[in-house]
Amino acid sequence: MGFEEYEPVSTLVVPENPVKSAKFPFVDIHSHQWNVTQALVHRLVAEMDELNMATMVNLSGKGFARSRSEIDAQAYLNSMIRRFNGVAPGRFIVFTNLGFDGFGSEDWVEKAVAELETDVKNGANGLKIYKSLGLSINDIHGNRVPIDHPDLDPIWAKCGELGIPVLIHAADPAPFWQPMDARNERWLELKINPNRKRGPDNPAPFEQIIAEQHHVFRKHPKTTFINAHMGWMANDLGKAGRHLEEYPNVNFGIGAVIAEFGRQPRMAREFFIRYQDRILFGKDAYNKEEFYTYFRVLETADEYFPYYKKYHAFWRMYGLDLPDEVLKKVYYKNALRIIPNMDASLFPD
């Protein structure tokens, strides 16, 4: 029997309080929905009601259209916004995305800024930056585009001027760059998904890509950023706290890192209480049943319960038992403050 097959049934007998609906209405600030149809919206709303999700933020406003022409991408975005608003007004917020075709040409910056302004005018309420920036985006000469490339400065500045947040995902977990051996916590994930393994300079060191992201935060203090996946610092909450202290314009999204909190409940609880104004609930890949683990970690004092993906977390979870006021901020109050044009009537106070 190998590690992949070893899945022991716990003999521990402790109180169990599974949670299938959040204690308070919440905003999922990190979701991805493509090819939005009326049937999809109806299904999502029904599931959102079960979960007590008041608002879903769809970060894929231009979906895969971001690699198409500017006109096609904007038509895709506008169609999505109309569909959401027409079928379920107030329940969905859409972020736009950047297209990098022609990056490095003389008119790219001017066109990108104008497109961003148009997208916001047409109903986009934020900008989502995919991890491809810094990893796979190249300019017209074939060179990697760093996250802090000077040609992107007008974009970050324009977001600040327009009053919209930038949710930015940089790099992958650091272990993807480390040797794939018995000491690597992500060994199973890398075995299952070998394409996620990176060499030391593929395409740049992890530390360099993250430093580029932080440089953008420093250069644009008037722009609000949401650092997706806690900037891969959820495993080092001391470092995460120093990050928030250094960059007052940055907030953390907790999508895909709940397993890190679940294995350090005392330190994580202290972190959430201390930085309760800077943390936003987010899930990333949409799956209704997976939200249950998030609720249980955040809301209960349960001990030693399973996570839903062994290759993310082969350890067990412990609940943080967060105070109600902290939960409210993480679930919806911080999002209401940061993201414009949300329907505040969907929330209790």
Side-chain angles (χ1 to χ4, degrees), residues 230 233 236-247 252 271 274-275 278:
M230 279 191 62
M233 289 179 276
D236 186 346
L237 294 179
K239 183 177 182 180
R242 293 190 295 273
H243 181 77
L244 293 179
E245 298 289 348
E246 184 173 358
Y247 305 110
F252 279 143
F271 181 87
R274 182 171 183 178
Y275 296 106
R278 311 283 294 280

Side-chain angles (χ1 to χ4, degrees), residues 113-168:
V113 171
E115 185 175 346
L116 175 64
E117 290 181 309
T118 299
D119 291 346
V120 172
K121 183 179 179 180
N122 288 340
N125 290 292
L127 173 66
K128 154 68 172 174
I129 300 296
Y130 294 94
K131 68 178 181 180
S132 52
L133 179 61
L135 288 177
S136 60
I137 298 295
N138 295 324
D139 64 16
I140 56 176
H141 305 293
N143 301 313
R144 181 184 77 93
V145 177
I147 297 173
D148 59 351
H149 193 289
D151 283 0
L152 293 170
D153 283 335
I155 297 292
W156 316 132
K158 179 58 67 173
C159 288
E161 179 185 323
L162 295 171
I164 61 168
V166 179
L167 193 149
I168 179 169

Side-chain angles (χ1 to χ4, degrees), residues 105 113 133 182 197 263 289 293 295:
S105 59
V113 171
L133 179 61
K197 180 70 179 77
R263 63 170 170 171
E289 288 74 20
T293 301
F295 303 154

Side-chain angles (χ1 to χ4, degrees), residues 41-233:
V41 177
H42 283 307
R43 179 176 68 81
L44 288 174
V45 169
E47 295 183 351
M48 290 162 64
D49 289 344
E50 291 180 38
L51 296 167
N52 202 16
M53 184 195 303
T55 307
M56 175 186 287
V57 179
N58 185 23
L59 301 179
S60 302
K62 292 188 173 175
F64 299 111
R66 64 185 181 275
S67 62
R68 305 174 198 156
S69 72
E70 174 185 330
I71 295 175
D72 286 346
Q74 288 191 309
Y76 183 97
L77 173 72
N78 296 342
S79 175
M80 178 185 293
I81 292 173
R82 287 195 301 270
R83 179 60 52 79
F84 278 140
N85 291 342
V87 178
R91 299 298 298 275
F92 295 89
I93 290 287
V94 179
F95 278 27
T96 188
N97 313 114
L98 282 183
F100 288 93
D101 288 349
F103 188 91
S105 59
E106 291 184 4
D107 60 351
W108 185 90
V109 174
E110 182 179 354
K111 286 184 176 180
V113 171
E115 185 175 346
L116 175 64
E117 290 181 309
T118 299
D119 291 346
V120 172
K121 183 179 179 180
N122 288 340
N125 290 292
L127 173 66
K128 154 68 172 174
I129 300 296
Y130 294 94
K131 68 178 181 180
S132 52
L133 179 61
L135 288 177
S136 60
I137 298 295
N138 295 324
D139 64 16
I140 56 176
H141 305 293
N143 301 313
R144 181 184 77 93
V145 177
I147 297 173
D148 59 351
H149 193 289
D151 283 0
L152 293 170
D153 283 335
I155 297 292
W156 316 132
K158 179 58 67 173
C159 288
E161 179 185 323
L162 295 171
I164 61 168
V166 179
L167 193 149
I168 179 169
H169 175 173
D172 276 321
F176 288 9
W177 276 262
Q178 296 165 2
M180 186 181 164
D181 56 24
R183 296 172 57 84
N184 193 320
E185 277 192 327
R186 295 275 184 160
W187 175 86
L188 181 57
E189 181 174 1
L190 294 173
K191 181 181 181 185
I192 294 172
N193 302 284
N195 60 310
R196 297 181 184 180
K197 180 70 179 77
R198 297 188 177 276
D201 296 310
N202 177 19
F206 171 82
E207 294 78 10
Q208 179 180 335
I209 297 171
I210 294 298
E212 292 168 1
Q213 183 202 50
H214 295 182
H215 187 207
V216 171
F217 298 159
R218 186 179 305 112
K219 288 174 68 179
H220 296 277
K222 295 182 180 180
T223 300
T224 298
F225 293 92
I226 303 170
N227 198 344
H229 314 301
M230 279 191 62
W232 307 120
M233 289 179 276

